[in-house]
Amino acid sequence: MSQLVVQKYGGSSLADADRIRHVARRIARERAAGADLCVVVSAMGDTTDHLLDLAARITDEPDPREMDLLLATGEHMSGTLVAMALQAIGVPAISLTGAQAGIRTDSTHGRARIANVDPIRVRDEIAAGKVVIVAGFQGATDESHRTGEVTTLGRGGSDTTAVALAARLQADRCEIYTDVEGIFTTDPRVVPEARLIPVIGYEEMLELAHQGAQVMQTRAVELGWVNGVVIAVRSTFSDHPGTLIQEADPMEIRDKVRGLALDRKVAKVTLVGVPDRPGIARAVFDPLAEAGVNIDLIVQNVGHAGATDLSFTVPDVDLAKARRLLDPIVRELGFADMTTDSAVAKVSVIGAGIGNTPGYAARMFGALADAGVNIEMISTSEIRITCIIAEDQVEDAARALHAAFRLEEPETTDSGARLAS
Ligand code: ASP
Ligand code: MG
């Protein structure tokens, strides 16, 4: 029996007619090698941004239902063109909308979740000898009263469409094609020595993505993890094997820094002179949670004379909202002051097992000290150590940490021992 391959092509891989023809040739090559293919596409280039912009010119408050129907057209456009490009070189192909491909979601317009995948049509078309192109990033509701309302899965959602289809179709391979060769130890634009990571565990990949590496939608990684889908991240423009995201191999990966994530889009809020008594943290964080503001790092100091300082980080874009929500609380509860700083950044070293091994934190702080970088906040998890630093020092910090953890060197099984020496 032939292999079933799910491929996903990102917007930059489909940005114009030439690139679409290039993608069609890649698909044709895979098919000539004997594979059956289900290909998920993103919208061409910046199409989604343009559609959002268009709607914003019409109204400040677009109807979420109409918005989803509008955004879904981006992927219809690229899907049909890829199908035509394949037909033009003699490959039987058909494009399907997300709904036609059986992607069923809840009814949360703009960030719907996949409830089920019912790919009867995909299977039938493949059995009929066709390459099936599926419009990514979208599905349709399955609720009896309003069946078939088109929904979208949130920015970057085509990755999730691909992994969901790979899981349900029990694909032999799931490949995410993009404009970089894979997942790197850190952003190569900041640190030229950054190295491609050949294999990374789901948990490490999720942490990298959460801490700022923008390669794949995190939901896609989660879905891959839950369903045991091995995900290859590869370049559309080369034959490099790329990065495999899969279950971590405990023998090789334990106690090794895998990557370094940088996030400039964070801001710090400090509440000064907060009364040291039960209920204060709830009074501060409840309203933020209700307003959907994501709190990341939280640091509270030891109290002195009945008061303490409380600092936390929020995404840059939510800073104004956080200030607005907290202003009355600061006054009501009698805090001394609230200060905010959006010129901070987050650097995180990530790797299975490092967060509870003392040598790594010491090495991180030492490298930052040697580079003259002041650490404003620290947080750790089992697989991560994060520092908040001044935003204008993020590049110095990245280079220093990349060197300190020897991330430019190929991975070996004795890296833990080497680090300790
Ligand atoms: N076109 C959508 C976006 O730009 C979905 C995707 O590319 O995955 O977010
Ligand atoms: Mg993307």
Side-chain angles (χ1 to χ4, degrees), residues 8-12 40-49 52 71 74-75 136-138 152-161 217:
K8 177 255 171 177
Y9 290 92
S12 56
V40 175
V41 292
S42 285
M44 294 173 67
D46 298 328
T47 304
T48 307
D49 288 325
L52 283 165
L71 292 182
E75 273 73 9
F137 172 58
Q138 57 183 274
T152 63
L153 308 177
R155 298 307 303 266
S158 302
D159 294 336
T160 302
T161 305
Q217 203 190 35

Side-chain angles (χ1 to χ4, degrees), residues 62-351:
D63 176 354
R65 178 205 182 264
E66 300 304 331
M67 199 67 206
D68 270 358
L69 206 48
L70 173 67
L71 292 182
T73 63
E75 273 73 9
H76 296 174
M77 182 164 120
S78 51
T80 53
L81 293 169
V82 171
M84 289 180 207
L86 282 165
Q87 291 162 359
I89 55 173
V91 177
I94 183 169
S95 70
L96 301 176
T97 66
Q100 287 176 317
I103 311 287
R104 308 265 174 265
T105 74
D106 65 18
S107 55
T108 327
H109 285 292
R111 51 191 166 85
R113 297 228 148 215
I114 297 177
N116 193 13
V117 182
D118 190 10
I120 301 178
R121 184 79 193 272
V122 175
R123 285 205 183 94
D124 285 353
E125 299 292 353
I126 288 174
K130 289 179 196 159
V131 171
V132 178
I133 315 296
V134 176
F137 172 58
Q138 57 183 274
T141 60
D142 203 11
E143 289 156 8
S144 48
H145 57 293
R146 280 183 107 194
T147 298
E149 284 291 277
V150 171
T151 52
T152 63
L153 308 177
R155 298 307 303 266
S158 302
D159 294 336
T160 302
T161 305
V163 174
L165 277 165
R168 180 46 63 96
L169 294 168
Q170 294 182 296
D172 296 286
R173 276 183 283 143
C174 177
E175 301 174 331
I176 306 290
Y177 283 94
T178 176
D179 52 9
V180 292
E181 290 201 311
I183 313 294
F184 284 77
T185 49
T186 195
D187 187 343
R189 288 166 304 185
V190 176
V191 183
E193 291 79 21
R195 187 180 45 82
L196 188 126
I197 306 172
V199 180
I200 189 167
Y202 294 111
E203 192 181 13
E204 292 171 322
M205 184 63 225
L206 268 182
E207 198 72 67
L208 267 181
H210 274 138
Q211 300 308 322
Q214 293 158 338
V215 210
M216 271 188 77
Q217 203 190 35
T218 51
R219 282 166 55 188
V221 181
E222 276 165 14
L223 201 59
W225 192 1
V226 172
N227 290 283
V229 177
V230 176
I231 304 166
V233 179
R234 305 186 57 185
S235 167
T236 307
F237 308 106
S238 83
D239 286 323
H240 196 287
T243 298
L244 286 182
I245 307 172
Q246 60 182 42
E247 203 58 71
D249 172 354
M251 299 306 282
E252 227 188 273
I253 289 173
R254 183 75 25 96
D255 286 3
K256 164 69 181 159
V257 172
R258 313 285 295 168
L260 177 62
L262 313 173
D263 187 356
R264 294 178 174 86
K265 298 187 192 120
V266 294
K268 188 175 79 166
V269 177
T270 302
L271 302 172
V272 185
V274 175
D276 202 1
R277 60 164 197 263
I280 293 288
R282 179 176 59 197
V284 168
F285 293 117
D286 260 2
L288 295 173
E290 254 165 55
V293 176
N294 243 323
I295 308 295
D296 192 11
L297 263 70
I298 303 177
V299 172
Q300 178 176 315
N301 288 331
V302 179
H304 286 291
T308 184
D309 294 347
L310 179 61
S311 292
F312 53 89
T313 59
V314 297
D316 262 339
V317 291
D318 286 336
L319 181 58
K321 198 201 268 181
R323 277 205 77 112
R324 195 160 17 84
L325 289 163
L326 290 172
D327 257 332
I329 295 166
V330 167
R331 263 179 282 121
E332 250 166 64
L333 298 178
F335 301 174
D337 197 9
M338 166 165 62
T339 63
T340 58
D341 185 359
S342 59
V344 295
K346 192 165 69 165
V347 290
S348 308
V349 297
I350 287 151

